[in-house]
Amino acid sequence: MPDLTSTPSAPSVLFVCVHNAGRSQMAAAFLTHLAGDRVQVRSAGSAPADTVNPAVVAAMAESGIDISAEIPKVLTVDAVRSSDVVITMGCGDTCPVFPGKRYLDWQLPDPAGRGVEAVRPIRDEIERRVRDLLTEITQSP
């Protein structure tokens, strides 16, 4: 596992889910909101949707974060290669693996087809995990 605190530049995190329309968008938005320029944040999907899930947009707005302008992006080898930490959320084997990267798999329900009420607990769990991750990767040695 690489020591992310000793790198001269900000650590980089890539969040990946199948459609890049829900879980990975929420995680990226929370990390961007909480970390500012202390962490480089990316998100992508193995089979990106056309738009971000409207229930996800609404749930994030309740947390004071506007992701309405976000557009799902396709997962690329370069995105993985240029990230220190890669967090998958239901895309499994479709994410390329490179030596020296840290890979985490967050088992979270897919918000696709669910209303805001069902998305809220997923959002809250993602926020908790993102806060823990941020503490871990930005700690001083």
Side-chain angles (χ1 to χ4, degrees):
M1 174 175 6
D3 178 7
L4 301 178
T5 58
S6 65
T7 57
S9 61
S12 56
V13 177
L14 170 64
F15 295 101
V16 183
C17 66
V18 176
H19 300 297
N20 190 222
R23 295 166 289 188
S24 57
Q25 289 283 351
M26 287 190 281
F30 274 125
L31 187 54
T32 299
H33 178 75
L34 296 168
D37 61 0
R38 294 182 294 158
V39 179
Q40 295 174 0
V41 182
R42 299 175 184 88
S43 72
S46 52
D50 293 329
T51 60
V52 175
N53 179 332
V56 167
V57 172
M60 290 302 289
E62 291 176 354
S63 292
I65 300 174
D66 181 7
I67 63 169
S68 62
E70 294 298 322
I71 299 170
K73 295 165 277 313
V74 69
L75 176 64
T76 65
V77 170
D78 286 340
V80 177
R81 188 179 289 126
S82 61
S83 299
D84 297 309
V85 180
V86 179
I87 299 174
T88 57
M89 304 175 190
C91 69
D93 302 342
T94 61
C95 192
V97 176
F98 293 99
K101 306 293 177 195
R102 181 173 176 206
Y103 293 87
L104 300 171
D105 185 41
W106 289 356
Q107 296 293 319
L108 296 160
D110 189 347
R114 300 177 186 220
V116 175
E117 306 78 28
V119 172
R120 285 184 189 120
I122 301 168
R123 173 203 63 201
D124 295 346
E125 177 62 15
I126 289 171
E127 180 180 12
R128 184 192 66 75
R129 291 182 189 206
V130 166
R131 285 180 182 279
D132 290 347
L133 176 71
L134 179 59
T135 299
E136 178 185 330
I137 65 176
T138 59
Q139 285 179 343
S140 298

